Structures are given as structure tokens and as C-alpha cells.
Amino acid sequence: YRFDRADVILSLDADFFAPGPGHIPYARQMMARRRAGSDPQQMNRLYAVESTPTLVGAAADHRLAARADQMEALTRAVAIAAGLDVPPPNQPDLADVPAKWISAVAADLKAHQGRSLVVVGDHQPAVVHALAHALNETLGNAGQTVIYTDPPEAGPVNQTESLQNLVDDMTAGAVDLLLILEANPVYSAPANLKFAAAMSKVAMRVHSGLYRDETAMQADWHVPALHYLETWGDVRAFDGTASLIQPLIAPLYGGKSAYQMMDILLDEPDRNPYDLLREYWVTAARPANFETFWRQSLHDGIIAGTQLPAQAVSAQTDNIKAAPVAAPDLAALEINFRPDPSVWDGRFANNGWQQELPRPLTKLTWDNAALLSPATAEKLGLSNGDMVDMRYLGRVIQAPVWIWPGHANNSVTVHLGYGRQQAGQVGSHVGFNAYRLRDTATPWFGAGLRLSKTGKRYALASVQDHFSMEGRDLVRSATLAEYLAHPEFAQAADHGDAISLYPTIEYKGNAWGMTIDLNACIGCNVCTMSCQAENNIPIVGKKQVLNGREMHWIRLDRYYEGDLDSPETHHQPVPCMQCENATCEPVCPVAATLHSVEGLNEMTYNRCVGTRYCSNNCPYKVRRFNFFAYNDFGKDSSLNLLANPDVTVRSRGVMEKCTYCVQRINAARIEAKKEDREIRDGDIVTACQGACPTQAIIFGNINDPDSRVTKLKAGELNYSLLEELNVRPRTTYLAKIKNPNPELEDMA
């Protein structure tokens, strides 16, 4: 997809911001048309229909909650309204979908032919994808906003059918040797396949993977695998572009790569991954000078000329016309299976950073839950933390309930990847295993779920209410029309002269500042995770999170506005504001927190005695306290290799917070001094800024009139959080603008 070319986008149960092929360029292209400083007349418009709330839905100008099994009917209705000749949907399937919404969306798509885009979620059935392809072709989007290529997969087959064939062969005793490479089907295969029972009938079972997981425990041999950052390799991107993987570290524990495992089957067991990789590309690329080609590819990060060429294709509408029109049972409760935003399908369950990272919208940590709408919860008499029996297709599991505003009614979502029994020290016995309900016939959604209360309660750790600042003028937003009529809308009322008991300090030379563009922020949490990795921020565990003691230096607040059944969602990253009139500094009895000559609010860790006065006095609640020795891994633990050597590792009893990545500032200062020059704009990229997929975070010298951050701070969208307190934060925000369809403004 080419989101940068699309003026109007319709997302049908798709979350193209979530981990998956192309999600980073998709997010960047999509939000580049909405960021502050771009031409407001070129702002795109996003419609989203979804069963489970997603980051795409949160960013949408118009969002409609609908069950997953209603997507076919809704897509047919939009396609017909846009001029496509296909069988109509069953009208009862659209009883709760406003006809005005369908007609307005279809008209908007038609008005932007060749510059519109229809995207469907991977979990929707083939007929919905076929309808979207035909709709994109009818709208003239093929070759413009939709590019078709050969499949980038090496073997594009129906993977469910392939797995079923393997199970049948194992059950029949037709498999003598089973080699499983970096997969865990005993845990993740659909429950009806009974993979573990079939695997037990194989004479020789060999598993290669990073962990002795559930599948490894049933294998005769487990071969430790190399992590992809410990070995050479290659990968192919969603558009076919090939890239070389270089190891960042020597193997910690030995192990064998997947290349070496396959080489053993070819009776050549002594070659290393580096030689195997070079040997392959000598034949595949056939360059005139291989060493030049190899070094250039390593330098560039991609192998030139490997992108798949565009193909001219045509949608087969006859097949769509012949397909039976779905007739879902909307009276029955629907279940949706989705990969978890953090641990995905379970492969990252033993990663403590991922487990403690708040989920983008629910803000849950360390657990999954049965997620349902407020109306459905009220109908079933359920509240947050109630344990329920979930019965589906003759199988039953227990799960806690979490109420999720914006979720489709009469529908429940469960996240996969939890309930692991052999994940490791961190990931085992966390959450419930939703795979036990999953069936090959309904791998992503299906009707017939039954919920019943058990009478038990379960504590779920959600961080949304921790350090809350709600009830104040935090996220400022307007429609595009309101912004064009009143460009100054983001500026707060005049609070009078900003007077202070403290003298104003003039910062000469460098003065560091940051601005965060709420137009571009999609709430993905990447800034939080990158900050954790860069700054040696520990995890604290579920018990401490329940006590409000998580340590993240950037929290990503999520706010709802409007009706709970269809709320507007706002995201706001909140790091330390680096206040010039910092309220934390005068209350510290040992001067552990003070200002630098460049305006940074600094922490001297070895001076801190842990009074926590600074945290109590901070209006933004962005300071974190080490109640325990979270970072003490012991002298011999390989976990000590996690630590960034450029950043101090804090101990118990010390307050810590965002430093604007002062270690990176100092590194840039040293380089500039060596070259006898000033620090240039762009020399310093903070960890959160560098990782942000949409470039929503901008950092630089606010004393430099030509710096990007200075120019953005001078714009009318720039505002300070809690500016009425006169603490003069160095971190500011760019107000959010949405682009609703005037015909649907009453439904925005």
C-alpha cells in the first residue's frame, strides 16, 4: 500500500499500525500527511470499521464499531454504493450500521478515484479481501495506492491446510523424522489439531529454538538456536527487498542457526552461517565483483535490485458473485482471537520489558483478559476483574474480564501469547492460554461463545490511572475546519503576567528542548520501550505495578472523549518536562536535582537520599523511585549485558527520570569539539525520537533559530502542558487536528 498517495482511506478491521509486514513505512506515510507543518489542505481522511479497538481506529477521523462477522456485509454495502456489481448483503446484518455512514464513505471514496485506498485486516475471510481488491480496482487505485507484486513468501501456501496435512501424516505413522525450527506448535497450534498427541507418534523428534519451550519438552532432541542478532542471515521485506543480517554480538551460549540445521540435512555439517550466506548470494546475485557487492550491501542495509516488480492484475468479480453471502448469527456472542500487542503469539512471553509494557489502549500489563464493551458487560452483569468460564466449540477456559470502551457489542476479544507453561523464568504461568479455544475452522473469529461468572475475582494491573492528570486541559484538539477558522485554538486563555519568586535565567549557548506532535503520535509505545533499553530502566513485576511503582520514564497516557460505546481516543506521551522553573528542585534537601547550564533538570544519583519530595512536588508525576534493587542481577548473570555502559545503573532508594538522553548530548558535544565546531541540528537524536515510527518527537537546541524544534515551537499549534503553573516546561506539544467528513460530523 502507498498511504502517502491516498487522500481517503477505508480500513476494514485492519490494524496496519500493529506489528506486521510494512507497518513502519505504513505508519510513517499515513501520519506524514497529518503532522504539524504539513499543508493542512493535503490532510488525508481515515475511516475505520473494526471489531476490536486498534491504533488505526484511535487515529481515525471516523470510527465505527462492528463485529468481525459483519465486515463482509458492510464491505458489500460500500462496494455497491461505490458502483461495484456484486450480490448485496443480508440487510439484517447491517441493522446497527447507519446507512448514512455507508453512503458518505462510498461517496468520499468515489470523489477521490485513484487517490483512495481500501485496506482489509489479515484475519478477515477471502471474500472480504476479494471485495476490497475489486473495490480498489473500480476506484482506480490499482497501481496508484495499491501495488501488486509476486508473493514475498518463499512458499505461499495455505498454512492451516499444510499443518493439518502434517498432523494427519504424523497420526498415521508416516513421519519418521520431524524437525521443528524455531516454532512452538505444541503450544500455538489450533486446539482441534491435537498436535502434541500426533507428535508423540513420530519416531524421532528434533526441535531447534531459543528456549526449551512446550514443543522442545516433547522432543527427543533440543538444539539451542542462535538468536538472530548472534548470527549472519538474510531476510526479505514486505515488498521483496532483501537485507543482510549482521551479528551484533558473539554467541553467548553456542547454539546453531537455522541455516546450519538445514545444512546438516544436506550432509554438510561443518560450514558456518557466514560462509553459507556468502555462498548463496554469489549464486543468487551473480555480481561482477562479489566483494564490492557484499560490502556495499552491508553498508546500505539492503541488497539493491531485489525489490519485487509491480504486476498488472485484474480482480475476478465472477468469483465474488458466485461466493455465497455470509449470514452470521448476530444474536450469538462472538469471539475474536488477536496476537497480543507486546508478546505477539507468545514468542516474546519471556521478555520482561514486553510483559511490563502497557498495552497501547487497555494499558494492561503482565496479563491478557477477556475484553468486551461496556454495553455487553452490563448485559452480562460483568465488571473488571470478574473471572468467567469461556466456552467455545466444546472447550472451556477461565479468564478475567476487562471492559474496553469502543469494543463492538456482543463480541469478546482474547489476546494470544499467554498461558505459557515452558516460557522461562519471566513468561511461564502468566495469563491464560487462548489457543485452547482456537479452531482451524474459526482461527480468528467465530460465533457461539458463552460466558458465565465463576464468582472469583482476579487482579489486573492497568497503569492508566497511575499518575493521572485528568480533569485538566491536557490534550488540545480541533477539526480541520475549526483550525482553519481559528488557527490559534491551541493557545490557552491569558493567565496574566508570568511572575515568579525566582529570577529568570538566560541560557546562553545550547538550550535543549523537545516538542511532541500529537498529530503524528499513534500511541504505539515504541518511545517507552526505546527509553527503557537506552537508559537501563528496570522492570518491577506485576505486584509492584499494582502498587503504582512501574519505572518507565515515558508514560503514554490514553484519554477517551465522548460516548463510551464509540469514544474518540487521544494519546499523549509524558516524559520529564525539563521545567525551567522546576518545582522539584527547591524541595530537595540535598540538591540531588538541579539545573545544568544548558537548562536540563538533572539528577545526581549518588547524592539522592530518597526523600521523594521531588516526586510529590512534580505536577506531571514523571519521577520514578527505586523501592527495591530491581537492577541487581548478581555478578555472574548474563543479564548484566543488558545495561547500556554509557548510562548509570541506579540502585535502591534513588529517584530517576528522563534526562533528554544526556549521554547522547555529551557524545555529540565531544564529536563537535574534536571537529572544532558547534553542535549541529540533528546531531543529537534521543532514544525516543530515533525509535518513533512516525517521527512525532522532535529534539534540538531552542536557542538555534534555524533548528526544527525552534520553528515548530514558534507555530500556533505549540502549547505547554499545565502552562498555568508557570513552571516553563522545555517539552511542549503540538495540538491535534482531525479531518472529519462534514456529512458525518454529528457521528465523529
Side-chain angles (χ1 to χ4, degrees), residues 93 178 216 238 450 493 496 530 543 565 607 649 660 706 722:
D93 298 342
L178 177 65
F238 70 108
R450 287 186 296 158
S530 61
K543 181 178 179 181
D565 292 326
R607 191 183 297 159
V649 177
Y660 272 170
D706 296 322
L722 305 182

Side-chain angles (χ1 to χ4, degrees), residues 596-636:
S596 76
V597 294
E598 295 179 333
L600 294 186
N601 176 234
E602 295 183 333
M603 275 297 306
T604 306
Y605 298 125
N606 60 353
R607 191 183 297 159
C608 177
V609 295
T611 63
R612 294 183 285 152
Y613 294 160
C614 58
S615 179
N616 186 63
N617 222 37
C618 173
Y620 304 102
K621 302 306 174 190
V622 289
R623 289 174 165 264
R624 304 290 176 260
F625 185 69
N626 283 274
F627 282 88
F628 297 100
Y630 302 122
N631 264 326
D632 186 7
F633 300 128
K635 292 182 179 179
D636 300 324

Side-chain angles (χ1 to χ4, degrees), residues 55 101-102 159 331 343 424 454 522 536 553 576 588 683 693:
L55 295 179
W101 202 94
I102 293 173
Q159 297 180 10
V343 304
T454 66
I522 59 174
N536 301 331
W553 287 3
C576 172
C588 180
D683 280 355

Side-chain angles (χ1 to χ4, degrees), residues 48-51 62-66 71 74 96-98 101 566 747:
V49 189
E50 55 188 15
S51 50
H62 294 280
R63 179 187 176 275
L64 185 66
M71 292 300 158
L74 197 144
D96 54 350
V97 177
W101 202 94
S566 185
M747 300 176 60

Side-chain angles (χ1 to χ4, degrees), residues 226-235 242-251 257 259 273-275 277-278 281 293-303:
L226 291 175
H227 190 276
Y228 79 94
L229 296 179
E230 294 178 316
T231 183
W232 289 87
D234 53 3
V235 290
S243 177
L244 299 176
I245 301 175
Q246 301 180 64
L248 298 184
I249 189 173
S257 73
Y259 304 95
Y274 179 75
D275 292 335
L277 189 65
R278 285 172 58 92
W281 282 105
F293 157 82
W294 180 257
R295 291 180 178 276
Q296 189 68 46
S297 298
L298 289 176
H299 173 272
D300 295 345
I302 61 172
I303 298 176

Side-chain angles (χ1 to χ4, degrees), residues 383-569:
S383 59
N384 284 341
D386 281 343
M387 289 293 292
V388 294
D389 284 331
M390 302 184 68
R391 301 179 186 275
Y392 184 63
L393 301 180
R395 307 180 191 98
V396 60
I397 61 173
Q398 287 193 349
V401 165
W402 189 259
I403 299 171
W404 198 355
H407 197 286
N409 291 330
N410 214 29
S411 179
V412 177
T413 295
V414 290
H415 281 134
L416 305 169
Y418 283 87
R420 295 284 307 277
Q421 300 302 307
Q422 298 289 335
Q425 181 178 352
V426 170
S428 295
H429 312 294
V430 176
F432 65 91
N433 185 1
Y435 282 112
R436 290 171 52 192
L437 296 182
R438 204 163 178 241
D439 195 278
T440 53
T442 54
W444 296 113
F445 63 88
L449 174 70
R450 287 186 296 158
L451 296 184
S452 56
K453 292 178 68 171
T454 66
K456 300 176 183 177
R457 298 278 299 167
Y458 186 88
L460 290 166
S462 173
V463 304
Q464 175 60 25
D465 294 330
H466 298 181
F467 322 114
S468 175
M469 299 188 298
E470 287 187 83
R472 305 188 187 186
D473 190 13
L474 305 177
V475 178
R476 300 179 188 175
S477 64
T479 66
L480 180 58
E482 290 170 341
Y483 167 61
L484 293 175
H486 303 285
E488 73 291 344
F489 80 93
Q491 305 308 312
D494 186 8
H495 297 292
D497 293 334
I499 59 175
S500 174
L501 294 174
Y502 300 97
T504 299
I505 299 175
E506 182 181 356
Y507 294 94
K508 299 179 180 180
N510 299 318
W512 307 114
M514 177 181 287
T515 186
I516 301 174
D517 190 349
L518 299 182
N519 292 282
C521 177
I522 59 174
C524 65
N525 275 331
V526 170
C527 56
T528 302
M529 181 58 69
S530 61
C531 177
Q532 184 162 24
E534 171 77 15
N535 293 296
N536 301 331
I537 300 173
I539 60 171
V540 301
K542 179 181 175 180
K543 181 178 179 181
Q544 295 300 313
V545 173
L546 284 168
N547 285 334
R549 293 176 177 176
E550 65 271 13
M551 295 294 295
H552 297 127
W553 287 3
I554 302 177
R555 75 171 188 271
L556 214 155
D557 290 340
R558 181 267 298 133
Y559 298 109
Y560 290 132
E561 179 182 5
D563 181 40
L564 279 178
D565 292 326
S566 185
E568 186 174 344
T569 305

